[in-house]
């Protein structure tokens, strides 16, 4: 996803599941994913690192996410301290809570 309107459509009209470090919004679509990491998480280096972690976890666990659903993953401020393993565990758990593949 690239357009703000696409992000807002998913965030305003989609289903929401949350954990300690991440929020995931889901809405029926074509299987795309968007990532939002605000400055509350940290500086540019930290934000980019968190985005890389989320992308890698999504790539590895792609099979656990429903195929015809668009996602927006929002990182909470605690995400930077969770580390990649913590982010991956939480993202997988949130994907399971979203329902069947």
């Amino acid at each position: 996803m690239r357009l703000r309107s696409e992000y807002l459509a998913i965030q305003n009209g989609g289903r929401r599941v949350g954990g300690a470090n991440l929020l995931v919004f889901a809405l029926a679509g074509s299987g795309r994913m968007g990532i939002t990491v605000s400055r509350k998480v940290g500086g540019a280096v930290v934000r980019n690192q968190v985005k890389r972690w989320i992308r890698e976890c999504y790539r590895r666990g792609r099979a656990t996410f429903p195929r015809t659903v668009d996602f927006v993953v929002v990182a909470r401020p605690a995400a930077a301290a969770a580390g990649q393993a913590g982010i991956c565990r939480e993202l997988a758990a949130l994907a399971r809570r979203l329902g069947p593949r």
Side-chain angles (χ1 to χ4, degrees), residues 23-64:
L23 278 171
V24 177
F25 296 89
L27 186 66
S30 58
R32 300 174 299 166
M33 183 188 68
I35 301 170
T36 301
V37 182
S38 73
R39 279 194 264 170
K40 293 178 185 178
V41 175
V45 173
V46 173
R47 290 194 312 268
N48 287 328
Q49 183 178 44
V50 170
K51 285 188 268 188
R52 282 193 306 269
W53 291 343
I54 293 170
R55 271 191 227 106
E56 179 63 16
C57 296
Y58 181 74
R59 185 188 68 79
R60 288 183 183 176
R62 181 80 169 111
T64 62

Side-chain angles (χ1 to χ4, degrees), residues 9 31-32 36 40 56 61 90-91 96 98 101:
R32 300 174 299 166
T36 301
K40 293 178 185 178
E56 179 63 16
E90 187 166 337
L91 192 58
R96 283 191 297 273
L98 283 171
R101 293 175 264 160

Side-chain angles (χ1 to χ4, degrees), residues 62-101:
R62 181 80 169 111
T64 62
F65 284 87
R67 292 185 181 103
T68 59
V69 175
D70 289 339
F71 299 97
V72 172
V73 179
V74 178
R76 291 186 167 166
Q84 185 174 4
I87 295 292
C88 286
R89 277 192 304 273
E90 187 166 337
L91 192 58
L94 294 174
R96 283 191 297 273
R97 284 178 50 193
L98 283 171
R101 293 175 264 160

